[in-house]
Amino acid sequence: GAEQCGFCNPGFVTVYKLTSERKIPFHKPEHKGRKLYFNREEILDWLQSESHPTIEQENIRKIKQLKKH
């Protein structure tokens, strides 16, 4: 049924795995039962810290490094 759709969604499984491994910032207030809460700013910061540069960004970084020497 509709309740099971969330569990079939790969995004849900990924978020669950990341929270269970404590790799993504989340909050779980004791008085809210099993619900997890996410702070938008914390998630955006986490996404920035986990980002991988594009090939173009990496090439620009390498060029800047070469210019320093």
Side-chain angles (χ1 to χ4, degrees):
E3 293 174 339
Q4 293 178 344
C5 284
F7 294 99
C8 299
N9 182 339
F12 176 85
V13 172
T14 301
V15 169
Y16 180 81
K17 184 174 192 279
L18 290 170
T19 57
S20 69
E21 294 174 354
R22 297 188 181 269
K23 291 184 176 180
I24 187 171
F26 68 96
H27 302 271
K28 186 177 176 183
E30 290 183 31
H31 63 282
K32 296 286 185 179
R34 297 173 61 182
K35 291 184 180 180
L36 298 180
Y37 294 85
F38 300 91
N39 178 288
R40 186 184 218 15
E41 292 300 318
E42 289 175 350
I43 296 299
L44 291 173
D45 289 345
W46 174 77
L47 287 170
Q48 288 290 334
S49 71
E50 294 291 318
S51 69
H52 297 279
T54 64
I55 291 172
E56 183 179 0
Q57 290 170 328
E58 188 62 26
N59 287 338
I60 290 170
R61 185 192 66 77
K62 288 177 182 176
I63 290 169
K64 287 180 179 177
Q65 284 292 93
L66 289 173
K67 287 181 178 179
K68 287 182 180 179
H69 297 301

